Amino acid sequence: MNPGQTAVVIIAGYLGLLLVLGLLSNRFFRGTATDYFLASRGIGSFLLLMSLFGTTMTAFALVGSTGESFKRGIGVYGQMASWSGIIHSACFFLVGIKLWSLGKRHGYVTQIQFFRDRFESDKLGLLLFPVLVGLVVPYLLIGVIGAGTVVSGITRGAFPALFPATGGAVPYALGSGVICLVVLLYVFFGGVRGTAWANAFQTIVFIVLGLVTFLLIAENLGGVRAATQAVIEQNPSRLKRQVAPADEAVYAERLAAAAAEGDVAAVKPAKPVGISQLEFFTYLFIPLSVGMFPHIFQHWLTAKTARSFRLAVVAHPLLIMLVWVPCVLVGVWATQVLGPDTPANQVLPRMVARMTSPVLGGLLTAGILAAIMSSLDSQFLCVGSIFTNDIVGHYLGHDRLSDRSRLYTGRIFVVVIVLVTYLISLNNKLPVFPLGVWTFTGFASLFPLVFAALYWKRATKAGAYAAVLTTAVTWFWLFRDAEWGRNREYHFHGVMPVVVTVLATSVALIIVSLATRPPKAETLSRFFAR
Amino acid sequence: MRKLVYAAIILLALAHQDFWWWNDIHPLVFGFIPVGLAYQALVSILAALLWWAATRYCWPRGVDDDGFATGE
């Protein structure tokens, strides 16, 4: 059995285990739509932490962080991870607990139901629906693209006779298709309880295996100290955030040496890349997206009590650190192993394939897939839930759909969404990191809406419309200006596009709200203290 | 206490910018983590501590009883 085949066997075993778990959770299924979408609001502290963490950590966290630190250095941790530690917990604490509370009181299942009630507008849902779903689909793509890339990367040379066109690797389309199918099966049968169980299991798997990967790669590079020392000598700019003239000099010197060696040069040096202070700071807006992710909203509503949030609020920054620090270090160490032209998405799979044994390589790949699938499942389910409860249930069915019909409709939509996402992913293999940043930018832009809905009585229906429309227009305009995400260095006058979209949305919300009639006292009494 | 906890969180967000080791690799913490990365890891640890304090001293009133946020 060659190393690629060993990886395939291990990955298949892992996927089988997940399916068993999904089917087991189905034994606790109560057969109602509320149980399918919200686990009867009975998820405790530990499962809630694992669900929230597993859902927020996608291919973006493992594949994306390693690839981005390979390309741009350690600054990526401060940009994304430590900001997320502060801001995600803020969202759980300031937004999540209140939404859970209101959701329980008024029986909400989706975000759109909450916004419709709070802003006294039935039609608001029709505006929010395409915006939310339009932003979730690229987020789903991140997972599917990550899964297909990882599987094909690790199985290179596995079946040369069967897949000669890919050098023996399991083709991207087959790898991502199988992952989609497994997630679909356990979501279909287990609903949100199935995803919570699977997320808990998968989160533990990817944390443990991520740490093992880190240690094995470090050992292969002569130990952690030697690995970092080599980067200091060859690519020092990757270990800080600013490019100094000395770094340029080291780069020129190494480049000349590599050119002299010609084809025998082991690895060409990486061009120094810095991060500006302003860009670093403005990344703070990106994690605000968590406050508006529809799949996170759905997980919030599954909580048993408000106190169930405590563990998630406190432990989330620590778990982020546990996952991101090793990934960022592996990314910068990889500059000594892989050529600078290596695609960002391929950095982690190639390091795993090169630096570990076939068995461990297979296990570690399973860990990466675990991180990806633990987000995909929640996203598939939430889109199914939005279609079922908001579109079919409310707008088409006028809230007269029976519980059983809602359950079946939800399952049908989950199948459709998985299929559509998979088909789109076949022709759009964009790098994970920029795709993620643009998706997060869209959701973060809507954060002022949810915050105002919870904390500002004066926020009105017209203000809400203005906010959603402003988000849609500014996001689309900037995305187009950034060549549809292809311009990775795109900034708007030196700041992240998210700053522009968040500020524009906030201004539109505030001005239009103040200029229009306040919400009815009766409405406010349902959402605010008397 | 409530205001103190929120003030500390804002202070942490400002300190996140790392005005001290922006362009430094050394000292290497534990001999292999560049100081800029170690500092940000410390920010993550402090975030956990401060959010723990928030759950203890700034818990929203009313959310526990009947599932109704009183919108403080």
Side-chain angles (χ1 to χ4, degrees), chain A residues 224-256:
Chain A
V224 286
R225 290 174 187 221
T228 298
Q229 197 53 46
V231 183
I232 293 174
E233 285 161 20
Q234 301 284 337
N235 292 302
S237 68
R238 291 293 189 272
L239 299 174
K240 50 189 180 176
R241 280 155 289 188
Q242 196 172 321
V243 179
D247 302 320
E248 296 284 7
V250 169
Y251 174 62
E253 182 190 312
R254 300 291 173 200
L255 201 62

Side-chain angles (χ1 to χ4, degrees), chain A residues 33-243:
Chain A
T34 308
D35 199 60
Y36 187 71
F37 293 121
L38 297 179
S40 300
R41 301 181 203 269
I43 298 289
S45 297
F46 180 71
L47 270 184
L48 187 66
L49 165 69
M50 291 287 131
S51 296
L52 292 173
F53 181 70
T55 304
T56 50
M57 295 295 115
T58 170
F60 188 78
L62 296 174
V63 180
S65 63
T66 314
E68 198 64 9
S69 62
F70 175 80
K71 297 281 182 192
R72 304 191 68 186
I74 56 140
V76 65
Y77 184 91
Q79 281 177 308
M80 294 301 299
S82 50
W83 265 140
S84 297
I86 300 171
I87 306 288
H88 285 182
S89 288
C91 290
F92 298 165
F93 187 68
L94 299 172
V95 177
I97 295 174
K98 276 188 179 254
L99 284 177
W100 168 83
S101 181
L102 292 165
K104 188 176 178 188
R105 182 179 173 88
H106 302 304
Y108 299 135
V109 180
T110 70
Q111 268 172 321
I112 289 177
Q113 292 170 337
F114 162 71
F115 285 119
R116 271 200 323 248
D117 272 12
R118 166 62 182 85
F119 290 113
E120 308 166 311
S121 169
D122 196 57
K123 301 287 183 292
L124 181 61
L126 290 173
L127 179 64
L128 268 172
F129 168 75
V131 175
L132 291 176
V133 173
L135 287 169
V136 169
V137 169
Y139 198 0
L140 280 165
L141 284 174
I142 296 172
V144 177
I145 292 170
T149 310
V150 166
V151 171
S152 65
I154 195 75
T155 57
R156 191 176 288 192
F159 306 103
L162 198 58
F163 306 118
T166 57
V170 172
Y172 169 88
L174 179 60
S176 56
V178 169
I179 297 296
C180 281
L181 185 67
V182 170
V183 173
L184 170 66
L185 285 172
Y186 74 74
V187 170
F188 187 91
F189 289 109
V192 79
R193 184 178 288 103
T195 69
W197 283 29
N199 282 1
F201 172 64
Q202 304 209 83
T203 303
I204 293 166
V205 166
F206 79 69
I207 290 176
V208 171
L209 291 180
L211 289 171
V212 173
T213 311
F214 169 76
L215 293 173
L216 285 173
I217 288 175
E219 194 187 335
N220 248 279
L221 293 169
V224 286
R225 290 174 187 221
T228 298
Q229 197 53 46
V231 183
I232 293 174
E233 285 161 20
Q234 301 284 337
N235 292 302
S237 68
R238 291 293 189 272
L239 299 174
K240 50 189 180 176
R241 280 155 289 188
Q242 196 172 321
V243 179

Side-chain angles (χ1 to χ4, degrees), chain B:
Chain B
M1 195 62 185
R2 182 183 205 85
K3 284 181 182 164
L4 195 69
V5 172
Y6 282 130
I9 291 169
I10 292 168
L11 210 61
L12 180 68
L14 291 174
H16 169 276
Q17 191 65 10
D18 183 3
F19 302 99
W20 304 275
W21 292 291
W22 182 261
N23 200 29
D24 292 324
I25 296 174
H26 297 283
L28 293 174
V29 177
F30 304 123
F32 72 99
I33 306 176
V35 66
L37 180 59
Y39 177 82
Q40 292 299 331
L42 180 67
V43 168
S44 299
I45 294 168
L46 291 175
L49 283 173
L50 289 176
W51 283 116
W52 169 82
T55 59
R56 190 171 166 82
Y57 300 108
C58 315
W59 192 251
R61 280 188 289 271
V63 291
D64 302 290
D65 351 80
D66 61 350
F68 181 32
T70 53
E72 299 156 46

Side-chain angles (χ1 to χ4, degrees), chain A residues 427-438:
Chain A
N427 294 312
N428 291 282
K429 282 178 250 171
L430 293 166
V432 164
F433 198 90
L435 190 60
V437 169
W438 277 102

Side-chain angles (χ1 to χ4, degrees), chain A residues 342-484:
Chain A
T342 307
N345 291 356
Q346 283 291 344
V347 173
L348 187 58
R350 287 197 191 170
M351 287 295 280
V352 166
R354 278 204 195 184
M355 307 246 137
T356 63
S357 70
V359 173
L360 282 167
L363 281 171
L364 300 171
T365 308
I368 297 170
L369 293 175
I372 293 171
M373 290 189 287
S374 63
S375 305
L376 272 180
D377 52 12
S378 307
Q379 293 159 348
F380 283 139
L381 187 68
C382 98
V383 178
S385 171
I386 291 173
F387 267 110
T388 305
N389 294 294
D390 295 317
I391 300 304
V392 178
H394 183 70
Y395 292 111
L396 300 177
H398 306 289
D399 296 326
R400 288 197 293 266
L401 220 59
S402 71
D403 191 80
R404 185 159 285 268
S405 302
R406 281 203 302 139
L407 176 61
Y408 287 137
T409 314
R411 282 177 160 164
I412 290 167
F413 272 116
V414 168
V415 176
V416 172
I417 287 297
V418 173
L419 196 65
V420 169
T421 310
Y422 172 68
L423 291 175
I424 296 174
S425 78
L426 294 181
N427 294 312
N428 291 282
K429 282 178 250 171
L430 293 166
V432 164
F433 198 90
L435 190 60
V437 169
W438 277 102
T439 308
F440 298 166
T441 296
F443 282 112
S445 316
L446 289 168
F447 180 79
L449 182 70
V450 70
F451 196 76
L454 292 171
Y455 288 95
W456 192 36
K457 291 181 182 177
R458 195 62 182 75
T460 67
K461 167 182 161 178
Y465 275 92
V468 179
L469 287 171
T470 306
T471 286
V473 171
T474 50
W475 184 89
F476 183 81
W477 184 76
L478 290 165
F479 189 49
R480 197 190 62 170
D481 207 35
E483 298 159 41
W484 310 108

